Amino acid sequence: MSSSTAASLSEFSNTNLEPLITGEQIQARISEMGASIARDYAGRNPLLIGVLKGAFVFLSDLVRATDLRVGLEFMAISSYGASTRSSGEVRIVKDLDVAVEGRDIIVVEDIVDTGLTLNYLLSNLESRGATSVALAALLNKQERRVKEVKIDYLGFTIPDAFVVGYGLDFAERYRNLPYIAVLKDPAQG
Ligand code: IMP
């Protein structure tokens, strides 16, 4: 097989992808975020809640960069669909297996876009009696914000473009990309 044929078969160097943040840049930033969390929560036992599915790669790196006793849980949420999306209503598809009353919570999310999902989720967790609720997000699309969300630990602010990789998908594709890329033409998948 020629090298050009091999390249055209590569998922990771697909021509529909424009690299935005390298794997090395992501690792370096996550190391800093983990160090900040370990410092801020020293002597405490926060519960990290990963929002499925997109946060799974970020979360797995973040916990290994955080030298602290932590608990780990997952939630899955979905919006009610385009018609009611502006209302900010989201549906909890998979809830927590533990009570959060009296716990320090850190929600771990891949990207904050309009902010509707996180705005709902953070207030939902606060209403359950958590001692504190913080947010760690890998990416922030500030230009798209509809509802304000306070991001306590942020990886990168990015332009208003559809990005994939490092857990983020387009129709379930590209979650396994070891870097973050702009999807140039969504029609091509
Ligand atoms: P929000 O409620 O608009 O902030 O939506 C956040 C969710 O939308 C994220 O958790 C992602 O699942 C999805 N999302 C938003 N922007 C992107 C993107 O550029 N690529 C992939 N998923 C995205």
Side-chain angles (χ1 to χ4, degrees), residues 6-7 17 28-29 45 56 66 69 81 91 103-104 118 122 132 137 152 168 170-171 175:
L17 301 172
R29 187 73 193 107
N45 174 215
F56 83 103
T66 306
R69 177 180 164 183
R91 189 163 52 96
R103 296 294 305 267
D104 291 305
L118 266 305
L122 297 175
S132 66
D152 301 276
L168 289 117
F170 174 71
R175 290 195 197 276

Side-chain angles (χ1 to χ4, degrees), residues 98-110:
V98 297
V100 299
E101 209 175 336
R103 296 294 305 267
D104 291 305
I105 303 294
I106 305 175
V107 173
V108 180
E109 175 65 302
D110 51 1

Side-chain angles (χ1 to χ4, degrees), residues 85 109-117 141 161-163 168-169:
R85 192 163 163 73
E109 175 65 302
D110 51 1
I111 185 166
V112 186
D113 186 25
T114 62
L116 294 172
T117 307
K141 277 198 240 176
F162 195 85
V163 292
L168 289 117
D169 76 311

Side-chain angles (χ1 to χ4, degrees), residues 38-61:
R39 193 179 55 239
D40 294 352
Y41 288 84
R44 291 191 277 166
N45 174 215
L47 181 65
L48 270 58
I49 300 177
V51 184
L52 294 172
K53 300 179 197 172
F56 83 103
V57 181
F58 172 45
L59 178 64
S60 72
D61 283 343

